[in-house]
Amino acid sequence: MTAAQQEAAPKPSSDEISQQIVTDINKGALSPGEWLKQIDLEKRYGCTRIKVRDALTNLHSKRLVEHIPNRGYRVPQPDPLRIRQVGEVRALLECHAAVDVIALATDADIEILRGLAEDFKQAAYHGSSFAQIEANYAFHGKLYSFCRNDVLRETMLDLRQRGPAAPVGQWQTMDQLQKATQGHFDLIDAIEKRDLPLLQARITSHISGSSTAPDAG
Amino acid sequence: MTAAQQEAAPKPSSDEISQQIVTDINKGALSPGEWLKQIDLEKRYGCTRIKVRDALTNLHSKRLVEHIPNRGYRVPQPDPLRIRQVGEVRALLECHAAVDVIALATDADIEILRGLAEDFKQAAYHGSSFAQIEANYAFHGKLYSFCRNDVLRETMLDLRQRGPAAPVGQWQTMDQLQKATQGHFDLIDAIEKRDLPLLQARITSHISGSSTAPDAG
DNA sequence: TTTTTCTAAATTGGCGCCAATTTTGTGGAA
DNA sequence: TTCCACAAAATTGGCGCCAATTTAGAAAAA
């Protein structure tokens, strides 16, 4: 058995392949602009062609990869305008969901959130770019879990993956990383105070901070 | 040539098939709970199996059809809770987009909107259920067109199709139809007055009105 | 040396066939 | 008559092959 087929032994579904592709894009193993050749993916994930094709179609319909007929699929180049637009919609949705967070988060939940924020801090200082993304996903995923509107939650989850397309570009500078870390703790603070307007302001600030490129200078 | 292959002659893409399926669901030609047998669709749209399968996978990833492994795909039963949740998110997004509508809609645009609202009124009184849906799509589509945030606009369009799954259930009573008709003119009125809070309130009312079942009694 | 054209390789996308699973229909037993 | 088991039909889902298109490379002309 080669190293390529180490995970998910016998029959990976096309959804699992999709998820692995997204993961590899986040890891940086698949770079923006790179063509996703079906033969390569086939070998990389040790699965059959049809699974690869289904996975790519799924990813395309979720707008996570580009598709050019008779050319193939490729990882989209991060587009600052688009990233900002995704951020704007995410902020809008998460601010709406914030009502549920304040209404439903227990003290125990807040402790869990604090743990996740600590995890992100650790990743920010000592972890890989991928570890940072995973920790950030875990924190925001916990926030989403309070949302009682399933459609709203699904939309937020779908949108999140369409944000900064690659680790390159999300937290480019140490300053941005520190701001993101502090942002998480600020959110927890607002939740503890059960201060909805404050929480919403900080959500907006946190998301727009992570979807706005740092000024060159 | 049979009547089944009348439209889109030579090589319909799988996206076109997807759209035709959605249209047929809205028309009521495909009923909620009905199994979407690949052979039937193949004959109905006069296309090959692979196109049907691709279309169904696409529709599934957009959550427009249910998929049960080894059983097939089927038109989902309208779920009142889910419809309300979709309405809540749509209202949230359209209220946000309302800023652009007020900022960018010219007097000429408003006249176009009035025409579309008239079209809906005609459909409400004299048209089929499908014609009503189409006219409603056209009106709201024009509203979306002002939105400068592409992601926001795409999200609204995606979400709209996930609303009331079938004509059955959207405007069940004459009362609802009249309210929807009046709602459109009220929206135009608020746009003319450039009154953002009023427009937002009426958007919320209009959408929640069309996604809430009438009281039995 | 540079550009153009033609050929060969590589890649995607489409289609038919076959296995796996489910459903339907029939026959027999309680 | 009703219920259950079994077999036959139908449907989905997977896989390999082949054609169409594109890309890369080499050879020839300017």
Side-chain angles (χ1 to χ4, degrees):
Chain A
M1 175 185 288
T2 69
Q5 314 160 327
Q6 53 193 2
E7 32 197 346
K11 287 213 169 188
S13 80
S14 64
D15 279 341
E16 289 171 314
I17 302 294
S18 301
Q19 198 49 55
Q20 284 190 324
I21 295 177
V22 172
T23 301
D24 278 346
I25 292 177
N26 283 336
K27 272 182 178 165
L30 303 171
S31 310
E34 184 175 343
W35 289 103
L36 296 168
K37 295 184 193 162
Q38 297 180 2
I39 297 184
D40 291 348
L41 299 178
E42 195 172 332
K43 281 185 287 186
R44 172 190 285 270
Y45 304 116
C47 68
T48 149
R49 177 79 69 97
I50 197 121
K51 292 286 173 59
V52 169
R53 248 196 273 185
D54 277 359
L56 288 174
T57 338
N58 278 331
L59 256 34
H60 174 61
S61 72
K62 287 180 184 167
R63 301 174 214 268
L64 287 170
V65 297
E66 284 179 331
H67 175 55
I68 295 154
N70 290 326
R71 292 286 303 279
Y73 299 82
R74 67 175 165 189
V75 184
Q77 295 280 354
D79 175 357
L81 172 63
R82 202 138 241 274
I83 289 174
R84 193 145 30 83
Q85 291 179 339
V86 170
E88 184 181 338
V89 180
R90 282 187 58 201
L92 180 65
L93 297 176
E94 292 202 26
C95 281
H96 192 73
V99 178
D100 281 358
V101 176
I102 286 198
L104 299 177
T106 65
D107 289 346
D109 290 323
I110 293 176
E111 276 317 301
I112 293 175
L113 278 171
R114 212 184 301 276
L116 294 170
E118 278 295 338
D119 290 346
F120 180 82
K121 186 178 182 181
Q122 288 303 313
Y125 283 93
H126 308 297
S128 65
S129 181
F130 176 66
Q132 292 163 10
I133 290 182
E134 288 288 293
N136 189 51
Y137 271 23
F139 180 86
H140 285 269
K142 176 67 183 173
L143 280 182
Y144 298 158
S145 72
F146 299 109
C147 177
R148 281 170 292 193
N149 184 327
D150 302 314
V151 175
L152 177 54
R153 192 173 56 246
E154 290 163 10
T155 308
M156 290 190 293
L157 286 168
D158 284 352
L159 222 49
R160 174 170 80 168
Q161 295 191 308
R162 287 167 55 185
V168 189
Q170 182 157 23
W171 299 296
Q172 291 170 337
T173 67
M174 197 59 211
D175 183 58
Q176 280 184 308
L177 263 175
Q178 280 173 338
K179 281 219 175 74
T181 303
Q182 188 55 45
H184 290 157
F185 289 108
D186 289 343
L187 294 182
I188 295 172
D189 175 60
I191 297 169
E192 271 188 312
K193 289 178 179 160
R194 310 285 164 181
D195 186 336
L196 182 59
L198 181 64
L199 177 58
Q200 291 178 326
R202 286 180 172 173
I203 287 173
T204 305
S205 159
H206 178 63
I207 292 181
S208 84
S210 74
S211 58
T212 305
D215 292 333
Chain B
M1 177 185 288
T2 69
Q5 314 158 327
Q6 54 194 359
E7 32 197 346
K11 286 214 168 188
S13 79
S14 63
D15 279 340
E16 289 171 315
I17 303 293
S18 301
Q19 198 48 55
Q20 283 189 324
I21 294 176
V22 172
T23 301
D24 278 345
I25 292 176
N26 284 336
K27 271 183 180 163
L30 302 171
S31 311
E34 184 175 343
W35 288 104
L36 296 168
K37 294 184 195 164
Q38 298 180 0
I39 297 183
D40 291 348
L41 300 179
E42 194 172 335
K43 282 185 288 188
R44 173 189 285 269
Y45 303 116
C47 68
T48 150
R49 177 77 67 96
I50 199 125
K51 292 287 173 57
V52 170
R53 247 196 271 185
D54 277 0
L56 288 174
T57 0
N58 275 332
L59 257 33
H60 173 62
S61 72
K62 287 180 184 167
R63 300 175 215 267
L64 287 170
V65 297
E66 286 178 330
H67 174 55
I68 293 152
N70 291 326
R71 293 285 302 281
Y73 297 83
R74 68 176 164 188
V75 185
Q77 296 280 354
D79 175 356
L81 171 62
R82 203 139 239 277
I83 289 173
R84 193 144 31 81
Q85 292 180 337
V86 170
E88 185 182 336
V89 180
R90 282 187 57 202
L92 180 65
L93 297 176
E94 293 203 25
C95 282
H96 192 73
V99 178
D100 281 357
V101 176
I102 288 198
L104 299 178
T106 65
D107 289 345
D109 289 323
I110 291 176
E111 276 319 299
I112 293 175
L113 277 171
R114 211 185 302 278
L116 294 170
E118 277 296 338
D119 290 346
F120 180 83
K121 186 178 182 179
Q122 289 303 314
Y125 282 93
H126 308 296
S128 65
S129 181
F130 176 66
Q132 292 162 10
I133 290 182
E134 288 289 294
N136 189 51
Y137 271 22
F139 180 86
H140 285 269
K142 177 68 183 171
L143 279 184
Y144 298 158
S145 72
F146 298 109
C147 177
R148 281 170 293 192
N149 184 326
D150 303 313
V151 175
L152 177 54
R153 191 172 59 246
E154 290 163 9
T155 308
M156 291 190 294
L157 286 168
D158 284 351
L159 222 48
R160 173 170 80 168
Q161 294 191 307
R162 287 168 55 186
V168 189
Q170 183 157 18
W171 300 294
Q172 291 171 338
T173 68
M174 196 58 210
D175 183 57
Q176 282 184 305
L177 263 176
Q178 281 173 336
K179 282 219 175 73
T181 302
Q182 188 55 45
H184 291 157
F185 289 107
D186 289 342
L187 293 182
I188 294 171
D189 175 60
I191 296 169
E192 273 188 310
K193 290 177 181 159
R194 311 284 165 181
D195 186 337
L196 182 59
L198 181 65
L199 178 58
Q200 290 178 328
R202 286 180 172 172
I203 287 173
T204 305
S205 159
H206 178 64
I207 292 181
S208 85
S210 74
S211 59
T212 305
D215 292 335

